Amino acid sequence: MYVDILVILNTLVNYFILLAIRKITHSYTKRWRIALGAFVGGLSSLLLFLEHLNIIMTLLKILSGVLMIAVTFEIKPIKQFVKKLFFLFAITFLFGGVTYAIYIFFDKDILIYSNGIIYFDVDMTFLVICSVISYFVITLITKYTDKKSSKNKEYYITIENNGKSVSCTGLMDTGNNLREPFS
């Protein structure tokens, strides 16, 4: 297992997870922040090499998730932050479960378990393809569920101008379809 490959693979997977969180929560963040948050997650994969620390290891994993979300999205309001953190863990567990199912049905020699972390020794192309497919599935699900829900949705927004910013809630506007009836 090579450290650089471990970090790169985890960064790529985390990038798509953070993109999915952005889409699900209808949050705006710049792509460089997503990349930076994904890299923080990629670096946290190095926890694999720590000795058995049990509760400390679990706390470090949770802390790395908190740090990923804090770097990628704003911390305020705390309710939105916790929501994004929940989706990070939910998507990560779902992705791990799907990957583990693929492992069960196919090649058994790709699994390495160390210090409470499962490492899949798979081809980078396979993992990236799984990540992209997962992202598009989440996108389709989000589009479907958004259409079925009410049209008047509130979102947390940040308006920036000349280095100053204001955060508030706003309603989604799907476009102005008003027409002047006389012409």
Side-chain angles (χ1 to χ4, degrees):
M1 175 180 343
Y2 296 102
V3 171
D4 56 342
I5 300 298
L6 179 70
V7 171
I8 290 169
L9 281 176
N10 280 282
T11 299
L12 285 171
V13 170
N14 286 326
Y15 185 81
F16 286 107
I17 289 172
L18 291 170
L19 275 178
I21 292 168
R22 183 176 81 166
K23 187 164 286 289
I24 290 169
T25 61
H26 303 286
S27 301
Y28 173 77
T29 191
K30 296 179 178 170
R31 293 238 181 207
W32 70 265
R33 289 190 72 159
I34 295 172
L36 186 60
F39 183 67
V40 167
L43 288 177
S44 72
S45 66
L46 298 176
L47 292 173
L48 173 73
F49 299 109
L50 293 179
E51 293 298 319
H52 293 281
L53 300 173
N54 296 335
I55 190 74
I56 295 173
M57 181 65 83
T58 302
L59 291 174
L60 287 172
K61 290 175 190 175
I62 292 170
L63 181 63
S64 70
V66 169
L67 190 58
M68 275 177 65
I69 296 297
V71 167
T72 306
F73 304 99
E74 291 186 10
I75 297 175
K76 294 179 184 177
I78 194 70
K79 184 178 176 183
Q80 290 292 323
F81 180 78
V82 170
K83 181 179 179 180
K84 290 173 182 122
L85 189 61
F86 168 78
F87 280 115
L88 173 70
F89 289 119
I91 292 170
T92 301
F93 294 150
L94 181 66
F95 182 74
V98 168
T99 308
Y100 185 68
I102 292 169
Y103 155 75
I104 288 173
F105 291 115
F106 296 104
D107 189 5
K108 303 245 189 255
D109 296 329
I110 62 172
L111 180 71
I112 300 169
Y113 181 80
S114 176
N115 295 331
I117 298 173
I118 297 174
Y119 174 73
F120 293 95
D121 187 20
V122 296
D123 181 48
M124 183 184 282
T125 307
F126 171 76
L127 199 54
V128 170
I129 289 170
C130 285
S131 299
V132 170
I133 289 170
S134 298
Y135 172 74
F136 283 115
V137 167
I138 290 170
T139 300
L140 289 174
I141 291 170
T142 303
K143 282 185 180 184
Y144 177 74
T145 57
D146 282 351
K147 286 181 181 178
K148 293 190 82 169
S149 61
S150 96
K151 294 285 182 187
N152 294 330
K153 294 185 177 181
E154 287 189 18
Y155 294 96
Y156 183 77
I157 62 170
T158 301
I159 301 169
E160 296 180 11
N161 187 18
N162 294 328
K164 295 180 182 179
S165 65
V166 175
S167 298
C168 59
T169 56
L171 292 176
M172 178 176 70
D173 184 5
T174 59
N176 188 348
N177 292 325
L178 294 177
R179 291 189 313 208
E180 185 266 317
F182 298 109
S183 51

